[in-house]
Amino acid sequence: MSAERALTAFAGFMVLLSVVLTVWVHENFIWFTAFIGANLFQQSFTGFCPATIVLKKVFGFKTEKELALGK
């Protein structure tokens, strides 16, 4: 799995988690959902996402470019 696909899966999981927390724990968790959305929005323009750095360094995921080049 590439870092980009892992990031998409992680973001989806975090959105679902934040919705569950909002419904069953406290309504202020909606701000967590808003933060995730804002981070995804800025990442689409800048290409920078801290979670990608963590996925690459800690878990060893490679980008799709690295996988295509066989690095």
Side-chain angles (χ1 to χ4, degrees):
M1 179 182 285
S2 68
E4 291 87 356
R5 291 178 65 90
L7 177 65
T8 304
F10 178 70
F13 173 76
M14 294 305 289
V15 168
L16 292 173
L17 176 64
S18 66
V19 170
V20 167
L21 290 171
T22 300
V23 171
W24 283 304
V25 178
H26 196 277
E27 63 271 1
N28 279 339
F29 275 107
I30 195 71
W31 294 108
F32 185 41
T33 310
F35 170 76
I36 296 166
N39 191 34
L40 287 169
F41 184 71
Q42 72 81 26
Q43 190 268 342
S44 69
F45 289 104
T46 65
F48 174 74
C49 184
T52 304
I53 297 168
V54 173
L55 289 171
K56 289 173 71 178
K57 289 190 177 184
V58 175
F59 296 105
F61 285 101
K62 294 183 179 184
T63 64
E64 290 185 9
K65 181 180 178 181
E66 292 171 337
L67 291 172
L69 295 174
K71 290 184 177 181

